[in-house]
Amino acid sequence: MKSFSVAIDGPAGAGKSTVARQVAERLGLTYVDTGAMYRAITWKVLREQVDPSDELAVTRLAQRTKIDIQPTDIWVDGVRVTEEIRSPEVTAHVSAVARIPGVREALVEKQRAIAQTTGVVMDGRDIGTYVLPDADVKVFLTASIEERARRRYLEMMRRGFTADLEELKEAIQRRDEADTTREHAPLRKADDAVEIDTTSHSINDVVERILELCRTKV
Ligand code: C5P
């Protein structure tokens, strides 16, 4: 029997990971942060000084990389990279790596394999449209650009990075533009996804709304 799956997509900083993690906990499902997988490959690309625009080299690197995503930690070939993959440098390059079809193929295969063995709450950009088109519940989370930049700013401060709000806003807009306009599995709301604008809603409200959607499906 197919396991229960919840797909949560949306642009950068809309609150996907916080919300997805809590929904997974409440439903006893596995949380899968697909953005962390693209970040993990990007971290290794930068570390090995591979040119991010060299599609063949980056694809080969993705194919031979072992990524282990645990609820609280991410490992690349046995190295713990939980904090490193959130660095501004990785964030600045991740969309260029994520647009490469060979990278996406390698990671989507892993994502689908996880969803076949266990119930998941998976967050990303293409989960409802491409990775899990038959997901039981599909949500598209949005928020205003100002609010998303403000959240990213607070998160950066908490992680000990310095940040400029205006620069963050521009970086988010650049990343959304790249993710929306790429050829392969771009960021897009699935036709059957429920759109939730989180700008003026608490995390708790959004989590409850998604749990309600899940209850109607079981
Ligand atoms: O979710 P997060 O902001 O960590 O994602 C980092 C980047 O990974 C995105 O900007 C996007 O380029 C890429 N990504 C993707 N498809 C996914 C998840 C993330 O292309 N399913």
Side-chain angles (χ1 to χ4, degrees), residues 152-171:
R152 228 354 101 82
Y153 179 82
L154 294 175
E155 186 191 327
M156 299 276 286
M157 293 290 133
R158 212 180 45 239
R159 288 180 197 277
F161 292 107
T162 50
D164 175 273
L165 192 58
E166 230 9 74
E167 274 173 23
L168 273 182
K169 193 169 147 185
E170 281 164 24

Side-chain angles (χ1 to χ4, degrees), residues 34-35 38-39 86 94-95 98 104 124-126 175 179 182:
T34 63
Y38 290 95
R39 286 173 178 276
R86 309 278 164 204
V94 65
S95 290
R104 305 201 68 81
R125 304 292 189 287
D126 60 341
R175 194 143 63 93
D179 291 344
R182 72 170 172 237

Side-chain angles (χ1 to χ4, degrees), residues 5 31 59 62 79 84-86 91 129 134 148 165 193 199 204:
S5 55
Y31 166 54
T59 297
V79 180
E84 288 83 345
I85 62 165
R86 309 278 164 204
T91 303
T129 52
D134 297 327
R148 293 190 284 129
L165 192 58
T199 308
N204 204 37

Side-chain angles (χ1 to χ4, degrees), residues 7-11 16 32-35 122-127 187:
I8 302 185
D9 291 301
K16 298 184 300 292
V32 184
D33 177 354
T34 63
M122 197 175 277
D123 82 13
R125 304 292 189 287
D126 60 341
I127 311 305
L187 164 64

Side-chain angles (χ1 to χ4, degrees), residues 43-153:
W43 173 82
K44 190 166 161 183
V45 163
L46 295 173
R47 199 169 82 144
E48 297 200 350
Q49 299 186 339
V50 172
D51 175 359
S53 67
D54 183 341
E55 296 199 8
L56 190 61
V58 176
T59 297
R60 286 205 179 120
L61 178 148
Q63 287 166 342
R64 65 179 149 82
T65 300
K66 190 178 174 307
I67 299 175
D68 184 11
I69 48 168
Q70 300 293 331
T72 51
D73 277 314
I74 317 287
W75 305 75
V76 173
D77 301 327
V79 180
R80 185 180 165 283
V81 294
T82 315
E83 285 85 27
E84 288 83 345
I85 62 165
R86 309 278 164 204
S87 72
E89 204 196 354
V90 168
T91 303
H93 290 91
V94 65
S95 290
V97 168
R99 60 166 282 284
I100 299 174
V103 171
R104 305 201 68 81
E105 265 161 43
L107 295 186
V108 168
E109 194 181 307
K110 289 184 208 285
Q111 292 155 13
R112 288 184 180 151
I114 299 172
Q116 255 173 16
T117 56
T118 179
V120 292
V121 179
M122 197 175 277
D123 82 13
R125 304 292 189 287
D126 60 341
I127 311 305
T129 52
Y130 186 73
V131 180
L132 305 175
D134 297 327
D136 297 280
V137 172
K138 296 184 188 178
V139 173
F140 194 78
L141 284 191
T142 61
S144 69
I145 180 68
E146 286 74 22
E147 177 62 14
R148 293 190 284 129
R150 193 185 70 86
R151 289 177 191 167
R152 228 354 101 82
Y153 179 82

